[in-house]
Structures are given as structure tokens and as C-alpha cells.
Amino acid sequence: MKKIISLLWIAAFLVSASAQVSAPLPYGVLPSERQLKWHEMDMYVLVHFTPTTFEDKEWGFGDANPSIFNPTQFDAGQIIKAVKSGGFKGLILVSKHHDGFALWPTATTTYNISKSPWRNGKGDMVKEFEQACRNNGLRFGVYCSPWDRNNPVYGTYDYIRIYRDQLKELYSRYGTLFMSWHDGANGGDGYYGGAKESRKIDRTTYYGWDTTWVMTRKMQPDASIFSDVGWDVRWVGNERGEAGETSWATNTPVPLEGKEKAGPGEVRDDLNPTGTRNGKYWMPAECDVPLRKGWFFHPAENGTVKSPEKLFDLYLKSVGRGACLDLGIAPDTRGLLHENDVKALGDFGILLKKTFAADLAKTAAFKASNIRGNNKDFGVKQLTDDNRYSYWATDDAVKNPELILEWKTLQSFNLVRLRENIKLGQRIEAVELDAWLDGAWVKVGGATSIGACRIIQLDKKVTTTKCRLRVTQSPVCVALSEIGIFNR
Ligand code: FUL
């Protein structure tokens, strides 16, 4: 008897040893650690607040007297509390907008906060935002506009030196940044130290981005570089907050016709919503959109604050398509977020929490058409463990597997969230979703470009005991890390 038992043990050991299979090979270009951390954030905000707020304008000309910048009730804590209540994980401060006014006491220009009455000219608004972020567990990033409508030497190489020095100050004084945000806006006319003229520059060469961003990497290795052309994150190509219905995390920027090089403000950004399948770089989209009509606060726009439902729709069109949502918020002249904005953010946060609180996939029995090497390390349990990097995988040859989820009682849902383990690349090109209705499988939804996150919104609520996910297009075996099923 003893002998039989030990033989059984040996046999069991051999079976489990033979089930040891290696992980699937990665597919295509892969995200860096920095980009993985960025993906995990999902949402953050972009703050616009300069003398332009006090002028009630969207683009300051660069001639506002610093004396108008006096937000007597400024409270970074009030702003960050509202941001946090919305579920946002970080904040990017526009430390200098096109008007050229620096919100920190910089040595690079006299057009800065020390010339304002705020905190008797002793304040550092970048520091106050940064500290409030860190105290509340939010990541912090900066945007320093390259176009500067105040600087007398804008347009010459001297300005590029000044701009780089500004970035150096921002990169060295405010701890670890999660993002260095850059845009390509260059309107031409400005104050320029009193010249009041239009200055044209060649956007593809003037700023020397390749040199600047080498410095960014060196000084702030955790900071994702954002622009129309990456390096780490691409502009989605619109300010509506919407990624393409198909949105690849990979991208190959295409220069404008007749140009050799693509750069911020000079790229086929009509291609940015979709990105490039099998593109040269991992360069996912960021969807920026203001909470109000404009990026800056205007009392006349108090009625334009987006509703929680509208924000949820934008969430589905950005985060739900593998991008991050970057929501513009704008303090008012008191230096506070207006109560309408605070309410919208808070209610949006509640809506998000409520929607994603109960994951029906966690109560379902799973059946997969294939499990890699029949090994539970690649089994279906990994799909509901809230870990973006543990995953269900199939054998190398199995590219179109199926997954069935079954419940003992009827369940109603209209949202299905999928994630791939993107450490192994963006693999799945298309899926379809069926529900068991009146004794047959009926297609109820589908999606393309899965990646870090894909939320499929069903046309109407489905009530069923069984649903089926079919991977219809994938060049390699699958590495799916999550399926979540929700009812909104
Ligand atoms: C744009 C700028 O011109 C707007 O003023 C705003 O800062 C937005 C986020 O980026 O390109």
C-alpha cells in the first residue's frame, strides 16, 4: 500500500512538472516601466491658472501686469481634495502658459510670481500644488509652454536657453514628476517685451526637442514625455477627450506632406486618435479635455461644467479605449475651484465607484477553450484577481480561444472591461461578445485594439445566465489579464 501511495506521489509530481510551461513570448514593442505606471493612473487633471484668469481670457498676450495676479483665498488643498474625490490620480500644473508668466520664483525671467502681490511676492505656487499633491497621494507633473508671448528674445536661440533653464528649475525643485507635458501651440503674435509683433518660428527645428528631452530623461527619468509625437505619450489629436474607436498603444508619427520630420504641432495628428498597429514606438494616447468650455476660468462659463454623466461618457471614450483622461480644471480669481466644478468632480467620482463596485465576473464559473500547458499559472483565476499583470494565456498555436462565464441565476449588465497584460505587448486585435438568450448565443458587442483597458458598452442591458468572449483576431496567442462585468 505504502509503495502504491509513493508511486502516486511520483506520478503526480511528474504530471505537475510536465505542466511547467514558459510564458508566451512578447509581441511587438513594449511599454517601459515609466509607461506602465502611467497606464495604471487612468486619469489626472491639468490646471490652468495665471494672470490670464484675471483678464478673463484664454490666451494671455503676455502684457498683463503681474499686480493683477492676487488670488487671496488660494488653497491648493481645496483643489486637490476635489480632484481626489473625482478619482483622479495625478495633477499637471501649467507652470507657465503662452502668456509667459512663471508661477514659481524663477531666475530666468522677471515676469514671474515674485512680482505679484500674492503671498507678498514670496510665494511659490508650483511648490504649493506639489506639496498638496504629495500630501494627498497624487502624482505631480508640469507643463511649461514653449511659446512665450512675453519674452523679448522669443524667436532667437537665447530664448531656447532660457526655456531649457526654466525646465531645469522645474525638474530640480519639485521632486519626482510623473509627466513633462509639451504642446505645439504657437500663435505668432505677442507682447515680446513691448515689441508687440508677430514672430514666426519653424516648429520642427526651433525648439530642438531632441536635445531638450534628453535632458528631461536624465533629470526626471520617471516623467513621461507628452506631445503630439511622444516620446512616451501621444496627444490624441483632439481636445474633445476622445480616443479612436480603435486606438493602438503603438504609434509611428507621420510628418506633414513635404516635411521630413514630425514634431509637436507639425505632424499628421489626424492619425493620432487611432495610432499605428505594429507602430515603431509604444506611445499610447492621452485625451485632454477641459471640464468647462475653456481651459481657463470664465464666470460666463459657470454653466458649462460637464455633468457627471458626460464625464462618464468621456471616461468610456478615453480610459475605456486604452488611453488616459487628462481633464482640464481652472481655479477662479479667488484661487479656488468653483462650487459647480467641485460638485461635478465629486459626483463623477461617486458614479465611477458605484459602477465598478460590483464585478459580476467574480461570481461566475469560467470555462476556457484552452489554457496554456493546462497550467493554472495561466488559468482563468488570473482574470478576476485585480492584477493587471497576472493573466490567462493560451498555447502558442491557439489564437482564437473562447471564454464562457456562467452564473446560477440571471444577471444583468451593460459594460464589459478587458485588459491585456501589456508587459507582453498589445496582442489582441478584435473580440466579440455573445450572450445566451432564448437558448442560443447572440452577439451583443465587440471591440478592437484591447491593450491596457477596453470597456465595451453594450447597446442595451443584457439579462442572461451565460456570456461568451471570442477572440476573433490576434496574431499570437492571448495574454488576457482581466475580464470585468458591470451593470450601470
Ligand atoms: C493648447 C493650448 O493652446 C491651450 O491654451 C491649452 O493650454 C491646451 C491644454 O493646450 O494647445
Side-chain angles (χ1 to χ4, degrees), residues 46 48 58-59 94 97-98 143 147 181 183-186 235 239 288-289 295-296 326:
L46 179 63
H48 285 74
E58 270 295 297
W59 277 7
V94 179
H97 196 242
H98 308 329
Y143 161 28
W147 183 30
W181 207 93
D183 83 355
N186 292 274
W235 181 48
E239 290 186 349
D288 62 332
V289 57
W295 293 102
F296 279 88
D326 183 3

Side-chain angles (χ1 to χ4, degrees), residues 51 64-71 100-125 150:
N65 192 318
S67 66
I68 65 171
F69 190 76
N70 193 18
F101 185 83
L103 291 181
W104 75 104
T106 174
T108 62
T109 171
T110 53
Y111 200 50
N112 73 56
I113 198 127
S114 70
K115 296 288 184 294
S116 80
W118 182 69
R119 308 258 190 269
N120 295 319
K122 302 264 181 321
D124 181 344
M125 194 163 272
N150 173 268

Side-chain angles (χ1 to χ4, degrees), residues 142-157:
V142 295
Y143 161 28
C144 185
S145 169
W147 183 30
D148 188 321
R149 302 175 93 189
N150 173 268
N151 206 292
V153 295
Y154 180 80
T156 69
Y157 185 68

